[in-house]
C-alpha cells in the first residue's frame, strides 16, 4: 500500500505538470486556433499545479472523510444499552451521508476525465472544475454517456492501431535480423 500510494502521488505530480500542459496546448489550439509553445504550456501548468493536483483528490478526500464519520457513528452502536437506541434517529443522517458518497463516487468516475480539460481551458481552480464537470454529468447524463462511449470506441481503435503498428515493427525486426544470423542462433 505504501509503494502504491507513493507511486500514485508521483504519477499525479507528473500528470498534473505534463498532462496539464498537454491539455492547455490542446485547449488553446481548438478554442482559439492558437498554437502555444511547450514552455508556455508548462508555465501555465506550473501556475495551476495545485488545481491540477488537487482536482481528482478533493472528491476522494470527501468520500474518505464521510466514511470516517460513518465509522465514528458506527461506534455509537457499540455503546451498551443506549447505543442501538441512539443509532435509530441518527441513521437518517447516515443515509444522507451515503447518498453524498454515492454522488461523489459517480461524479468522480464519470466526470473525472473532464477535470483537467476544465482547468486547462478555463484557467479555473479545482473546485470550479469539480463543480462544472459534475454539473455536466448530472444534468446531461445521456450526452455524457454518449460521449464516453464514443471516446471509448475511439480509444479502442487507436489502441488497436498502435498495437498493430508495434506488432508489425517487432515482426519485421525479428524477420530481417533472423536472416543475418548464420551461426545457428536460436529462433
Amino acid at each position: 500500500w505504501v509503494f502504491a500510494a507513493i507511486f500514485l502521488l508521483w504519477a499525479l505530480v507528473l500528470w498534473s505538470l505534463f498532462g496539464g500542459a498537454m491539455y492547455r496546448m490542446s485547449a488553446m489550439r481548438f478554442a482559439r486556433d492558437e498554437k502555444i509553445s511547450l514552455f508556455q504550456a508548462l508555465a501555465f501548468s506550473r501556475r495551476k499545479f495545485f488545481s491540477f493536483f488537487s482536482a481528482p483528490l478533493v472528491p476522494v478526500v470527501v468520500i474518505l472523510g464521510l466514511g470516517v464519520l460513518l465509522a465514528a457513528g458506527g461506534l455509537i452502536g457499540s455503546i451498551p444499552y443506549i447505543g442501538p437506541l441512539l443509532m435509530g434517529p441518527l441513521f437518517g443522517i447516515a443515509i444522507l451521508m451515503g447518498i453524498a458518497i454515492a454522488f461523489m463516487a459517480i461524479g468522480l468516475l464519470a466526470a473525472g476525465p473532464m477535470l483537467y480539460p476544465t482547468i486547462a481551458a478555463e484557467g479555473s481552480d479545482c473546485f470550479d472544475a469539480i463543480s462544472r464537470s459534475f454539473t455536466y454529468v448530472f444534468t446531461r447524463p445521456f450526452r455524457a454517456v454518449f460521449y464516453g462511449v464514443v471516446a471509448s470506441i475511439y480509444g479502442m481503435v487507436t489502441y488497436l492501431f498502435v498495437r498493430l503498428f508495434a506488432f508489425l515493427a517487432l515482426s519485421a525486426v525479428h524477420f530481417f535480423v533472423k536472416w543475418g544470423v548464420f551461426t545457428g542462433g536460436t529462433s
Side-chain angles (χ1 to χ4, degrees), residues 123-164:
S124 58
D125 63 353
C126 70
F127 297 108
D128 187 45
I130 292 168
S131 173
R132 289 175 186 239
S133 301
F134 279 37
T135 299
Y136 184 81
V137 166
F138 287 113
T139 58
R140 294 186 174 95
F142 295 112
R143 187 177 290 181
V145 168
F146 173 73
Y147 288 146
V149 168
V150 169
S152 297
I153 291 171
Y154 179 73
M156 285 187 286
V157 169
T158 304
Y159 170 76
L160 290 174
F161 176 75
V162 169
R163 187 173 171 153
L164 174 68

Side-chain angles (χ1 to χ4, degrees), residues 2 9-10 18 24 26 29 36 52 59 76 102 105 108-109 163:
V2 173
L9 287 175
W10 178 244
F18 296 110
R24 181 64 175 181
S26 296
R29 178 73 176 144
I36 63 172
F52 282 122
I76 293 173
L108 182 60
L109 290 175
R163 187 173 171 153

Side-chain angles (χ1 to χ4, degrees), residues 71-185:
L75 291 175
I76 293 173
S78 300
I79 299 172
Y81 305 112
I82 197 164
L85 296 174
L86 291 175
M87 285 198 62
L90 295 176
F91 204 71
I93 296 171
I95 293 294
L96 291 176
M97 292 170 77
I99 290 170
I101 288 173
F103 176 78
M104 294 301 281
I106 290 170
L108 182 60
L109 290 175
M114 292 187 280
L115 294 173
Y116 280 9
T118 303
I119 296 169
E122 301 290 330
S124 58
D125 63 353
C126 70
F127 297 108
D128 187 45
I130 292 168
S131 173
R132 289 175 186 239
S133 301
F134 279 37
T135 299
Y136 184 81
V137 166
F138 287 113
T139 58
R140 294 186 174 95
F142 295 112
R143 187 177 290 181
V145 168
F146 173 73
Y147 288 146
V149 168
V150 169
S152 297
I153 291 171
Y154 179 73
M156 285 187 286
V157 169
T158 304
Y159 170 76
L160 290 174
F161 176 75
V162 169
R163 187 173 171 153
L164 174 68
F165 185 84
F167 173 76
L168 289 176
L170 292 174
S171 295
V173 168
H174 182 262
F175 180 77
F176 287 109
V177 167
K178 201 163 115 175
W179 274 5
V181 178
F182 289 111
T183 61

Side-chain angles (χ1 to χ4, degrees), residues 12-28 35-52 116 119-120:
L12 191 58
V13 165
L14 292 177
W15 192 248
S16 296
L17 187 63
F18 296 110
M22 289 187 296
Y23 280 117
R24 181 64 175 181
M25 290 172 70
S26 296
M28 295 299 288
K35 289 181 88 172
I36 63 172
S37 71
L38 178 62
F39 296 111
Q40 290 172 322
L42 282 171
F44 174 83
S45 67
R46 239 182 298 121
R47 280 193 314 272
K48 292 291 183 179
F49 178 79
F50 181 74
S51 293
F52 282 122
Y116 280 9
I119 296 169

